[in-house]
C-alpha cells in the first residue's frame, strides 16, 4: 500500500509545543520504518509555516488547514 503521512507538528499555532510535539515523536519512534517493514511505500510531508513571520493562533490554524486541504487534494 502507498501511504502518505501528513505531519502537522503544531498545537494552538505553536510548532513543537505540547501536542504539536507528538507527530515528530512518532517519526522518531520509527513509524516510517515500521510501515516500510510491513511492506508499505511511505511518503512523509511535514507541514511547515514560515518561521520568519509572526502568526496569531487563529491565523496559523487557518493557514495549516488550507495547507492540509491542498495536500489531501493532491
Amino acid at each position: 500500500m502507498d501511504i502518505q503521512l501528513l505531519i502537522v507538528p503544531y498545537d494552538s499555532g505553536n510548532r513543537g509545543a505540547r501536542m504539536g510535539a507528538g507527530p515528530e515523536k512518532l517519526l522518531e519512534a520509527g513509524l516510517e520504518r515500521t510501515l516500510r517493514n510491513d511492506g508499505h511505500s511511505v511518503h512523509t510531508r511535514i507541514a511547515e509555516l514560515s518561521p520568519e513571520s509572526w502568526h496569531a493562533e487563529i491565523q496559523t490554524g487557518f493557514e495549516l488547514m488550507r495547507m492540509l486541504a491542498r495536500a489531501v487534494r493532491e
Side-chain angles (χ1 to χ4, degrees):
M1 180 184 299
D2 190 28
I3 297 174
Q4 176 79 36
L5 296 176
L6 298 172
I7 305 300
V8 185
Y10 289 86
D11 179 348
S12 302
N14 298 297
R15 193 188 191 299
R18 298 175 304 274
M19 289 186 299
E24 291 179 313
K25 293 293 184 186
L26 289 171
L27 292 178
E28 291 171 16
L31 175 61
E32 291 171 299
R33 181 183 65 250
T34 300
L35 291 169
R36 285 191 180 103
N37 288 345
D38 287 343
H40 303 290
S41 173
V42 181
H43 308 278
T44 302
R45 294 172 63 181
I46 299 177
E48 287 288 349
L49 297 174
S50 174
E52 294 91 44
S53 59
W54 180 84
H55 299 281
E57 285 183 13
I58 192 73
Q59 178 186 358
T60 301
F62 283 126
E63 286 181 43
L64 288 167
M65 292 305 113
R66 283 190 290 273
M67 182 185 303
L68 290 173
R70 281 190 303 270
V72 169
R73 267 194 309 271
E74 292 172 5

